[in-house]
Amino acid sequence: MKEEKKDQILIAAEKLFSQSGFDGTSTRAIANEAGVNLAMLNYYFGSKDGVYNAVVEKRLGDFRQILSSISEENISSWDKLKKCVDVYADRIFNNNCWHKIIQRELSLESRTEKSDFIIDQLMKNVNEIQKVIQEGVTNGTFREVDTELTVATIFGTKYYLLNASVLASKLLNADLKDHQVLEEQVKPRLKRHLLDLLSAHLRRL
């Protein structure tokens, strides 16, 4: 029951943070949205900052566990990278609220404790993918490449599609605000593109 209530609060907080931002969201509004009392929210998370950090840690921590488990599998470096791309592409289109929260903080001109916290958590996930690529370079599966910029290419494609969605919709001739279009057209297309790109860039002839 305790974990169920905590999850309710985090789901409500994620929704409200994405709609109104951190400053525009109150702990009372989160409690009301979650159907719990304010005392319970404060007991579990201590403050609005605590709720915010918990949302970030849950989303990025869950993804990190998946990436980490892939990197430990007894399969080729290329198969690991394919799995990472597959999971990544699935997740980036499945939670628009979460990506709004990330973009809202990272687009601010001045860095804040929250943006620094998000960046620190994101880098842990970036490092998991970077580790898979570097493993392939080390064992000879992949060519010697700029690992950091290769990772930036993967993440940069996602940022373009989600954060410049009007322009990307025209470029792809697909409505990126339509969830069905994202699922049935854009996501499979993105997976094929990233794998084709990475195969040509990384794999030895």
Side-chain angles (χ1 to χ4, degrees), residues 2-205:
K2 175 182 175 181
E3 290 303 315
E4 184 178 312
K5 290 294 184 184
K6 288 177 73 173
D7 285 343
Q8 282 179 226
I9 294 170
L10 293 178
I11 291 168
E14 186 173 302
K15 175 184 175 181
L16 295 179
F17 285 142
S18 74
Q19 292 174 346
S20 306
F22 179 82
D23 291 335
T25 301
S26 67
T27 51
R28 188 171 300 280
I30 295 171
N32 289 340
E33 180 71 24
V36 302
N37 59 53
L38 190 57
M40 180 178 288
L41 183 149
N42 289 329
Y43 174 75
Y44 287 141
F45 301 103
S47 66
K48 185 166 67 169
D49 281 308
V51 179
Y52 188 91
N53 289 348
V55 169
V56 173
E57 286 179 326
K58 178 171 177 55
R59 283 293 175 193
L60 293 178
D62 288 348
F63 186 33
R64 190 178 313 125
Q65 286 184 353
I66 295 171
L67 294 177
S68 180
S69 66
I70 291 172
S71 72
E72 297 301 321
E73 289 188 39
N74 187 26
I75 56 178
S76 71
S77 299
W78 174 243
D79 285 338
K80 290 179 184 180
L81 188 56
K82 286 198 299 183
K83 281 194 169 188
C84 287
V85 168
D86 191 59
V87 171
Y88 175 65
D90 283 339
R91 290 179 74 91
I92 64 175
F93 291 123
N94 285 350
N95 196 317
N96 198 35
C97 287
W98 166 242
H99 295 291
K100 284 182 180 178
I101 292 173
I102 291 286
Q103 179 57 23
R104 188 186 294 272
E105 288 302 324
L106 298 187
S107 64
L108 296 175
E109 291 187 9
S110 59
R111 292 180 65 176
T112 64
E113 286 186 11
K114 287 187 292 300
S115 63
D116 285 344
F117 181 75
I118 289 173
I119 290 169
D120 287 343
Q121 295 299 310
L122 280 170
M123 281 305 301
K124 292 177 182 178
N125 291 3
V126 168
N127 290 339
E128 289 295 332
I129 296 180
Q130 187 174 329
K131 184 168 69 175
V132 170
I133 296 173
Q134 189 56 53
E135 174 197 88
V137 172
T138 300
N139 65 30
T141 301
F142 300 150
R143 299 185 306 110
E144 290 281 348
V145 296
D146 189 321
T147 305
E148 291 78 15
L149 282 178
T150 302
V151 174
T153 298
I154 297 171
F155 282 84
T157 304
K158 166 258 187 182
Y159 278 108
Y160 178 79
L161 292 178
L162 294 182
N163 301 327
S165 59
V166 175
L167 181 58
S169 292
K170 290 185 177 297
L171 175 65
L172 301 180
N173 193 28
D175 183 3
L176 271 66
K177 295 188 181 299
D178 185 316
H179 182 72
Q180 185 174 353
V181 170
L182 281 175
E183 281 295 311
E184 296 179 2
Q185 299 179 31
V186 179
K187 186 163 71 174
R189 188 174 172 184
L190 174 63
K191 289 182 180 182
R192 287 194 302 271
H193 169 70
L194 287 176
L195 290 176
D196 285 347
L197 192 70
L198 291 169
S199 179
H201 177 57
L202 290 170
R203 301 175 81 184
R204 295 180 179 277
L205 297 176

